[in-house]
Structures are given as structure tokens and as C-alpha cells.
Amino acid sequence: MTDPFTLTLILIVALSLFGASVGLSMMAGSFVYLILKGFDPSIASETMLQGLFNNYTLLAIPLFILAADIMNIGSLADRLLRFAQALVGRFRGGLGHVNVVSSLIFSGMSGSAVADAVGMGKIIINMMTRDGKYTHSYAAAITAATATVGPIIPPSIPMVLYAIVADQSVGFLFAAGMLPGLLMALAMGIMNYVIARKRNFPVDEVVPVRELPRITWQAMPALMLPVILLGGIYGGIMTPTEAAAVAAAYALLISVVFYRSVSFSEFYQALLGSARSTASVGVLVAGAITFNYVITREQLPISIAEFVGQFELSTTGFLILINVLFLVLGMVLEGGAILLIVVPILVPSVQAMGIDLVHFGVIVVVNAMLGLITPPYGLLLFITANITGEPLMRIVKDIWPFILALIGALIVITFVPDFVLFLPRLLGYQG
């Protein structure tokens, strides 16, 4: 007779292939596992509810989603893009550099790669393709690639999820993402410059120096949001969850009062969109919590740790294996599912190898973001393809140089832990 756990895995995969959400598939599989094992099925709902309602950190996710949606309906994106254009538009491939810098700035507000691609993406793609300056496929490719920085620079929804499953500090994880995020942006900026020289992309309009103070002043309320958030968290004034609430309130305040760019109907639509996104994430988290109970019952993390231990891998060999595993999983699984399903299984092995869990968290999140731009799943590829109307394969052809640049950054992030942990240690992290 087939093992109940094996049947559970088959059911989860089958339901997912037939179009069910990963969260619902995990719930159904866990329910079947409990029945086959002779346990009370109500354990599934009890575990799910306890995991959802006893975790204060989870509240940060819907609040960051709301903040991002409010920023997308206001004029924040336009002002931030104008600011970025004034800074770097004068260089070869200028609008490509603007794309990188604007994503870097916006990432300090939204915590979501999708929010970055949908909000900033529409505007910058139109700017790049106007008058045929850049091909639609290149504009889509660089927009998808730069959006991956969103969840690396704090705040970060994926890092909140990782903090929950790995029992780590959200604040230290946020700090650990700063330098890697800047490195990723630098790698993409260099790649854009190389491609711009090769394809003879134009220099954008040069903004006179005398205009910089005015443009900066107009963007200042938006630029202050990351300062308020990170200053509040690391100054001990508020927790990351409270910072998420402040982000949503501040985004609404500056959109309505300072920029006067949000109507009541637009705000209502932002609330509806946030509710849908939150429900989607909530189902995934609930399914993962339930399935993690099954994993614990099967003692799978211990079995994996013992299996890996048999090969007597060095730390370097183990990290190479982990990166390959996550890069492959990222091609077929959504990033949240990777964080919530795979990470709890691997944590004991990571600890046994002596790898710092905050450092490991950054490695995992960067890999998950790479998964958003690698076919066949590549959610950001689908989003930018939808915006531009370009065939997916043309975008894939143009995005490979950026994937290689990001893999180069990932190698540094993986094998230079002091680079990742420098800022957390300055803030008191003992790892």
C-alpha cells in the first residue's frame, strides 16, 4: 500500500497541475493525510487558525500590500521617476538606468516585486518605448529584472514570510537585505550600460542642474517614506508590523493631502485590490501552516538533515547545492510557496552546517526573486508581456543578460556572508 505521505504529495501536485491554488492544494493534501493516518481531521483547521491568529508579524503583509496599492494609484510613481530621470537619465542607456534607480527607490516603500512591476513598470515602459527609443521587449525585460530588487531592499514581504517560518528577526533580515539589494541594482546598471553601448541606445534628455532642487523637493514626501520606516524600526520606535501600518497611512496622507492625486473611487479600488492580494497570500500561508504540521509529523526535516549529512558536504558544497535547488524550484514554483514549504524542511540542515539563518534568508529570497524572471513560470515576465503586448519569448531573449548579472550578485551574496551581515551586526545582531 502506498505511504499516506506519498499520496499526500501526489494529491498536492495533481491539484496544482489542474489549476488549484498551491495553498488550497496543501490544505486538501494535509486533510487526506490526517484521515489516512487515523487522526482527527479537525487538527488541520485548528493548526491553521492557531498559526494565522497567533502570529502578530503576519499583519505586516496586508498593510505593506495596501501601502503599495495606494502608491500605485497616486502620483508618487511619476514624481519618483522624474527624480530618477534627473539623476541618471543623462548617461548612455539613460532610461534603462532610470528604470534601475526608480525600482531601487520604490523598493524601499512597497516590499513587493509585483507592485513595482505593475506600478512603476507601466510608466517606465511607456517612457522607454515612446518614439522607438528602446524595443518593447528590452523595456519589458529590464523592467521585470529591476522589479526583483523590491523584496530585497526593506521593507520586504518575502522576508516577513521567511522570518515566520525560520523564527528570525524581521528587523535584522531587513537590514541584511540592504547591501545585497544595492549590489543587485549595480549589477543590472552595469549590464544595461554594456547593452546600451552595444545597441547604441540613446542618451535621455539632460535635466539642467538648476532644475534638480525643484524636482527633488516635489519628490521629497515620497522619498521620506523609506527614511521614516527604517528609522522607526531601527530606532526602536516601532515594530516592522507597526511600520507597515505607518507606511499605508503615510502613503495615503501624501497622496491625498500633498499630491491630491487620489479620488475616493480610486482608494476604494485600491482597498479591493489589497483585499484580493491579501486573501491570496493568506490562503497560501494557511495551506503551508497545515502542511508543515504534516511535515513535522513525518519528521521530514530530521530525515533531510541526516541524508545530507551522509555526503559530508563542505559548507561551500552545501550552499552550491542549495542555490541550484532553489533556482530550479523557482522555475516551477511561486516564491511564497518556496519560502513556506521548502525552508522549514531545510532549516535543521542549514543549522547543522553552521550557516547563519539571516544570511540564509537573504540567499533564499534572492533565489525566489530570480524565479520570478525565469521561464516557464516567471510571473514578472507574464506581467510585463501583458503590459507591452510582446511575445514572451522575445522578452525571455532580452532578459538573459540580466539573469546572468543577478546570478553574479547571488554568488557574492552566497559566499561572502560578512557582506550580507555587515549592517545587521552594526545594529546589534550577534550571528
Side-chain angles (χ1 to χ4, degrees), residues 122-180:
K122 290 179 181 178
I123 303 171
I124 189 65
I125 286 174
N126 287 335
M127 288 173 61
M128 292 181 72
T129 55
R130 190 182 305 143
D131 301 326
K133 294 178 180 177
Y134 298 79
T135 63
H136 284 77
S137 60
Y138 185 78
I142 192 171
T143 300
T146 59
T148 60
V149 178
I152 311 301
I153 298 283
S156 167
I157 292 173
M159 284 190 182
V160 172
L161 293 175
Y162 176 86
I164 292 168
V165 297
D167 192 25
Q168 295 299 301
S169 162
V170 175
F172 287 140
L173 282 164
F174 280 4
M178 291 184 189
L179 293 180

Side-chain angles (χ1 to χ4, degrees), residues 291-307:
F291 185 60
N292 284 338
Y293 174 81
V294 173
I295 289 172
T296 303
R297 294 287 311 188
E298 286 289 308
Q299 296 186 320
L300 191 59
I302 297 173
S303 301
I304 294 290
E306 291 174 349
F307 177 74

Side-chain angles (χ1 to χ4, degrees), residues 100-101 103-104 107 113 142 144-153 159 176-192 362-373 380 401-413 419-420:
V100 175
V101 172
S103 290
L104 194 62
S107 67
I142 192 171
T146 59
T148 60
V149 178
I152 311 301
I153 298 283
M159 284 190 182
M178 291 184 189
L179 293 180
L182 292 172
L183 177 64
M184 292 167 65
L186 177 63
M188 288 185 285
I190 292 172
M191 183 58 69
N192 174 68
V362 176
I363 294 172
V364 170
V365 174
V366 172
N367 272 289
M369 293 308 100
L370 275 168
L372 293 176
I373 57 173
L380 291 177
F402 294 101
I403 293 176
L404 293 175
L406 290 172
I407 289 176
L410 175 61
I411 291 171
V412 175
I413 292 165
F419 173 73
V420 177

Side-chain angles (χ1 to χ4, degrees), residues 49-357:
L49 292 174
Q50 285 181 350
L52 288 172
F53 292 114
N54 292 342
N55 203 316
Y56 174 68
T57 308
L58 271 174
L59 282 174
I61 295 174
L63 293 169
F64 278 133
I65 291 173
L66 177 60
D69 284 346
I70 292 173
M71 283 184 266
N72 282 337
I73 61 172
S75 62
L76 277 79
D78 297 281
R79 296 172 191 271
L80 290 174
L81 274 173
R82 183 61 178 162
F83 175 72
Q85 190 174 19
L87 288 180
V88 295
R90 65 190 71 236
F91 303 112
R92 174 70 61 184
L95 286 178
H97 296 306
V98 171
N99 202 319
V100 175
V101 172
S102 60
S103 290
L104 194 62
I105 297 172
F106 197 72
S107 67
M109 306 176 190
S110 70
S112 166
V114 173
D116 189 348
V118 172
M120 283 284 196
K122 290 179 181 178
I123 303 171
I124 189 65
I125 286 174
N126 287 335
M127 288 173 61
M128 292 181 72
T129 55
R130 190 182 305 143
D131 301 326
K133 294 178 180 177
Y134 298 79
T135 63
H136 284 77
S137 60
Y138 185 78
I142 192 171
T143 300
T146 59
T148 60
V149 178
I152 311 301
I153 298 283
S156 167
I157 292 173
M159 284 190 182
V160 172
L161 293 175
Y162 176 86
I164 292 168
V165 297
D167 192 25
Q168 295 299 301
S169 162
V170 175
F172 287 140
L173 282 164
F174 280 4
M178 291 184 189
L179 293 180
L182 292 172
L183 177 64
M184 292 167 65
L186 177 63
M188 288 185 285
I190 292 172
M191 183 58 69
N192 174 68
Y193 180 77
V194 170
I195 295 172
R197 296 273 298 184
K198 183 178 179 180
R199 300 192 188 182
N200 198 31
F201 286 150
V203 175
D204 198 33
E205 65 171 292
V206 177
V207 178
V209 175
R210 64 178 181 273
E211 292 289 317
L212 281 176
R214 180 183 61 83
I215 293 171
T216 304
W217 176 253
Q218 290 176 342
M220 188 58 67
L223 292 172
M224 284 301 296
L225 179 53
V227 177
I228 293 170
L229 287 182
L230 300 179
I233 292 172
Y234 299 120
I237 299 171
M238 49 190 165
T239 67
T241 303
E242 292 165 346
V246 169
Y250 184 81
L252 182 61
L253 178 68
I254 60 176
S255 295
V256 174
V257 177
F258 283 89
Y259 296 147
R260 298 181 181 180
S261 58
V262 175
S263 65
F264 179 79
S265 62
E266 289 173 329
F267 178 58
Y268 177 70
Q269 290 302 317
L271 289 176
L272 285 180
S274 300
R276 293 189 190 100
S277 299
T278 300
S280 177
V281 175
V283 168
L284 179 61
V285 172
I289 289 170
T290 312
F291 185 60
N292 284 338
Y293 174 81
V294 173
I295 289 172
T296 303
R297 294 287 311 188
E298 286 289 308
Q299 296 186 320
L300 191 59
I302 297 173
S303 301
I304 294 290
E306 291 174 349
F307 177 74
V308 171
Q310 291 176 353
F311 295 97
E312 298 181 354
L313 291 172
S314 64
T315 302
T316 300
F318 180 76
L319 286 172
I320 292 172
L321 177 64
I322 289 296
N323 274 302
V324 172
L325 172 65
F326 279 114
L327 285 172
V328 172
L329 288 175
M331 294 180 182
V332 293
L333 279 179
E334 190 268 333
I338 294 173
L339 289 165
L340 293 169
I341 301 171
V342 182
V343 169
I345 298 173
L346 292 176
V347 163
S349 299
V350 173
Q351 290 175 312
M353 295 296 298
I355 297 168
D356 184 87
L357 284 177

